Amino acid sequence: MTTDFCLLEKLLNPTALVDIDPGKREAKLFETWKEYGIYVKKLPSETLIIKADNFSPDKIIDCQNNKDFCKRADYIIVNEYEIIFVELKYGKTNGKKHIKQQLIGAQCLMDYLIVIGRRFFNHPNFLKSASEKQYFVAIVNFKLNKRPTEFVKKQKHKANNSPEKMLCLKVGSAGSINYKQLFS
């Protein structure tokens, strides 16, 4: 692993990371409270997946009066080429505004980790090339199928390089997507 990934892994609690099958280069992203998820396949070799919603800001921020600031997307996928923020939604959502706020919250968490790497570890180029390419994805409308499905519906979209321009994918709950489908 490169210095950046060793440092990022050192910063994070091991329980905040998703296990990646190195042989298959895939990982399962899931929501435990609804017991649904998808597989992301063909991940780049040096990839870390952070469970962003494990971070609890409510000990610092008044989440009763500022609920928007306490939201985070479910996952952050980081490699040397890009950073992808992923929110999983099952069934009805509270709208794109709610998902956008979660994606922004995860982006703030990643910004915080980058600043720690740059300032506390005196590594001024920490995740520099990855942070220049950020993508935002909402994976929505899971259907609980008994058999796996490869169905992916991608909207017509330009670049999903901001929370306002998030890419919305529809994937069956037992399904999978290739990593490159997460960005335009």
Side-chain angles (χ1 to χ4, degrees):
M1 278 194 155
T2 64
T3 304
D4 285 357
F5 287 94
C6 290
L7 181 55
L8 182 59
E9 205 167 24
K10 190 175 172 181
L11 278 171
L12 297 167
N13 185 322
T15 62
L17 294 172
V18 173
D19 290 329
I20 297 174
D21 182 328
K24 293 182 179 179
R25 289 183 20 234
E26 71 178 29
K28 184 173 184 182
L29 307 184
F30 62 93
E31 290 271 39
T32 53
W33 66 275
K34 277 286 190 185
E35 295 183 12
Y36 72 90
I38 60 154
Y39 286 93
V40 178
K41 298 183 176 210
K42 298 183 180 178
L43 290 162
S45 58
E46 284 194 355
T47 299
L48 290 175
I49 302 177
I50 303 166
K51 298 175 197 172
D53 61 353
N54 279 7
F55 177 73
S56 179
D58 58 346
K59 294 187 190 298
I60 300 168
I61 298 168
D62 182 1
C63 291
Q64 296 301 317
N65 295 319
N66 301 306
K67 292 185 190 303
D68 294 346
F69 303 137
C70 296
K71 296 176 182 173
R72 285 155 327 284
D74 296 309
Y75 296 97
I76 304 170
I77 302 173
V78 183
N79 61 56
E80 66 180 298
Y81 309 108
E82 59 260 329
I83 299 171
I84 302 172
F85 303 93
V86 179
E87 174 60 24
L88 302 176
K89 285 293 178 198
Y90 173 79
K92 293 181 180 180
T93 67
N94 293 336
K96 275 192 166 186
K97 180 182 176 192
H98 178 73
I99 296 171
K100 180 182 124 182
Q101 291 167 340
Q102 290 177 287
L103 292 168
I104 291 169
Q107 186 182 33
C108 290
L109 173 59
M110 193 67 221
D111 289 346
Y112 177 65
L113 294 172
I114 290 170
V115 168
I116 289 173
R118 290 179 181 174
R119 292 192 180 158
F120 283 95
F121 290 94
N122 198 25
H123 188 45
N125 292 320
F126 180 63
L127 295 175
K128 183 172 175 34
S129 58
S131 63
E132 291 172 353
K133 290 184 181 176
Q134 296 186 10
Y135 300 99
F136 301 84
V137 180
I139 300 175
V140 296
N141 292 337
F142 285 79
K143 302 227 184 320
L144 296 174
N145 298 328
K146 290 186 179 179
R147 58 183 175 78
T149 177
E150 291 293 323
F151 173 74
V152 176
K153 183 179 179 184
K154 187 174 179 178
Q155 77 218 32
K156 290 182 182 178
H157 211 278
K158 292 184 181 176
N160 57 321
N161 58 1
S162 73
E164 294 78 17
K165 298 177 185 176
M166 76 183 86
L167 175 65
C168 292
L169 297 174
K170 293 182 181 181
V171 182
S173 66
S176 63
I177 58 175
N178 287 328
Y179 172 77
K180 289 192 177 192
Q181 290 175 287
L182 297 173
F183 51 92
S184 307

